[in-house]
Every structure is written in structure tokens, then in C-alpha cells.
Amino acid sequence: MPTSDSLDSDALFDLEPVPAEAVGFAELARLPLTELVAPDWAEALAPVEGPLREVLEFLSREVAGGHAVLPPASNLLRAFRQPLADVRVLIVGQDPYPTPGHAVGLSFAVDGSTRPIPRSLANIYKELDADLGLPPRIHGDLSRWADQGVLLLNRVLSVRVGEAGSHRGKGWEAITATAIGALANRVTANGVPVPLVAILWGKDAEAVRPLLGSTPVIASAHPSPLSAARGFFGSRPFSRANTLLQEQGDGTVDWELPPLP
């Protein structure tokens, strides 16, 4: 069984998950920031390194106290393995799915083998079909979006199994706010803003709007079954995001996912 001592220093940067047993929250708390996230994210998150370590220590105590925590430590900071410089679209979620086996460190995504997919994700696929005519998939692997610079970031990056929202107010909000601010404040060598579109689904996501400055925002209700019919369906976020990217000279995202992961 591999341990944290046997991990390559850059293994955590792979988008494919590290085996869940490879590292624990206590080990994460002791690793240098540059081994937890991509190098440019390490620089951006340096101002909140202390709070991040406090959250990691809190998660270690949760586990020691007998609470199961999601996602596994190996995927906790997965969203930040994608280089900051590559991000073109930001999709903000709330907190991870609390169902065992669902949370993979990317908002709204699940492991490709998970069946059935969560209902919020099924609604995202319905809107993707209505918006761009792309057929819904039976799997929830969204890594192809991440590969194209779509940052799937929850406001809170952990949760107790079976207790949605249980890790809100534990420090994650300040960390993800710093990350979002770093994205919005990127400029080229000529001082021109780096292309970015933010997609905000639900009230928790909308709360980050003040952090985004002049970044174009697409906001609607959350895709949850409780709210999707109140403004998510019909919002056309995917085509609108592509139009806004093109207006900034940054091409488009191919939102079609492979039939199988």
C-alpha cells in the first residue's frame, strides 16, 4: 500500500485521482503548498496558507473523531491541480456531494463509474442538451471540461458523509474567495485582463460576484431538483459562456463529453 512518503512530488498534479489510501488529511497538512496545488496556485493561495492548514488539521480531527469526510484527501484540492493560468471558465458550486463515492474534488462531477448520477448533474445535462443539442451522458466524469480550462470549484471543499453543508463556516470560504479573486485579477504583460467567464448557479455561488470585478457573469438558479425550474432551465449557460469567451478573443469550450469516461 503506498504512503505519502512514496508519492512523487508532482503526482498530485495529475487530473486522474491519486488512490484514496495514498495520503491522509494529516499528511496534507504537513506538505509544502507547492506539493498540494499547481505552482501558480501555490503563489496565489500563499496569503491563505495558514487558514488552509487550519482547515486540513480540522479535517484530520474530524477523521480521528470517527467522522467520514468527503472527498478523500487525495482529491480534496483536485480543482487546484489545474494551472491557474489555464482557467477560462469558472463554475462555482456549493459543497461536495455528501453521498459516499460521489465527491471527486470537482464541483458537480462524480467518478465515471457512479450510477445513477446525481440529480443536479442530470439537470445540467438536460440544459446542455437544450442549449447546444449535446446528448446527456450516463456518467458524471467532467474532466474533459477541466482539461479545457473549466475550473469546477465548490465554495466549500469538504463535507461529512451524509451531512450536506456540514463544513461550511470552517474556513474554506476565505480560501476559495482568495482563489476566485486571483482568477479575476489576472492581467497580461500589457495589463489587459486575462479572458474569463464565471458561471454562478444558486445563491451561494452568487455571493462571490463582488470578487469577480469586471469578469462577465452568467448567473441563474441552482440545477438542484428543488430550484432548476426556477431559472436554471432555459438559462443557456454553455452557449452564452462561449459567446463571452469569443468576445474576449479566447475561442470556445467544446462542452460535449465522451459517451463513456
Side-chain angles (χ1 to χ4, degrees):
M1 179 179 296
T3 67
S4 60
D5 293 335
S6 67
L7 290 173
D8 292 335
S9 63
D10 60 349
L12 292 175
F13 299 167
D14 297 333
L15 275 174
E16 291 302 315
V18 178
E21 72 274 13
V23 64
F25 298 115
E27 286 82 3
L28 289 188
R30 293 192 291 268
L31 287 172
L33 192 57
T34 51
E35 293 186 27
L36 295 175
V37 298
D40 52 359
W41 273 120
E43 182 178 354
L45 295 176
V48 288
E49 180 176 358
L52 174 58
R53 296 199 181 281
E54 291 174 6
V55 176
L56 294 174
E57 290 165 2
F58 160 72
L59 297 180
S60 181
R61 293 193 300 271
E62 284 275 270
V63 173
H67 300 291
V69 173
L70 296 172
S74 54
N75 272 336
L76 181 70
L77 299 173
R78 184 179 177 189
F80 297 129
R81 295 182 211 145
Q82 172 188 1
L84 169 64
D86 292 349
V87 177
R88 308 161 63 207
V89 177
L90 168 67
I91 298 181
V92 180
Q94 297 178 353
D95 58 348
Y97 298 118
T99 305
H102 279 200
V104 294
L106 302 177
S107 64
F108 299 104
V110 292
D111 185 82
S113 63
T114 299
R115 304 287 188 277
I117 62 172
R119 289 179 294 172
S120 292
L121 182 55
N123 284 339
I124 290 171
Y125 286 171
K126 287 180 183 178
E127 181 60 21
L128 184 61
D129 185 11
D131 186 6
L132 294 175
L134 298 178
R137 300 307 188 193
I138 61 171
H139 68 85
D141 182 355
L142 304 182
S143 57
R144 188 168 188 273
W145 292 357
D147 291 343
Q148 297 180 77
V150 178
L151 178 61
L152 299 157
L153 182 67
N154 280 317
R155 283 290 276 138
V156 172
L157 300 187
S158 64
V159 68
R160 281 185 186 179
V161 168
E163 298 183 39
S166 51
H167 286 173
R168 297 185 184 188
K170 303 300 183 182
W172 282 123
E173 291 87 349
I175 294 160
T176 54
T178 297
I180 292 167
L183 279 173
N185 290 322
R186 294 176 301 168
V187 294
T188 68
N190 296 325
V192 177
V194 172
L196 178 68
V197 175
I199 299 176
L200 309 181
W201 289 330
K203 291 181 179 179
D204 280 7
E206 281 243 36
V208 311
R209 189 190 284 262
L211 304 171
L212 290 165
S214 61
T215 300
V217 171
I218 299 167
S220 74
H222 193 274
S224 160
L226 298 175
S227 57
R230 298 199 295 268
F232 174 74
F233 291 138
S235 62
R236 301 177 55 246
F238 308 102
S239 62
R240 291 167 65 195
N242 277 349
T243 296
L244 289 167
L245 284 175
Q246 287 179 310
E247 289 174 356
Q248 298 174 72
D250 196 36
T252 61
V253 172
D254 180 358
W255 295 100
E256 185 169 12
L257 295 168
L260 296 174

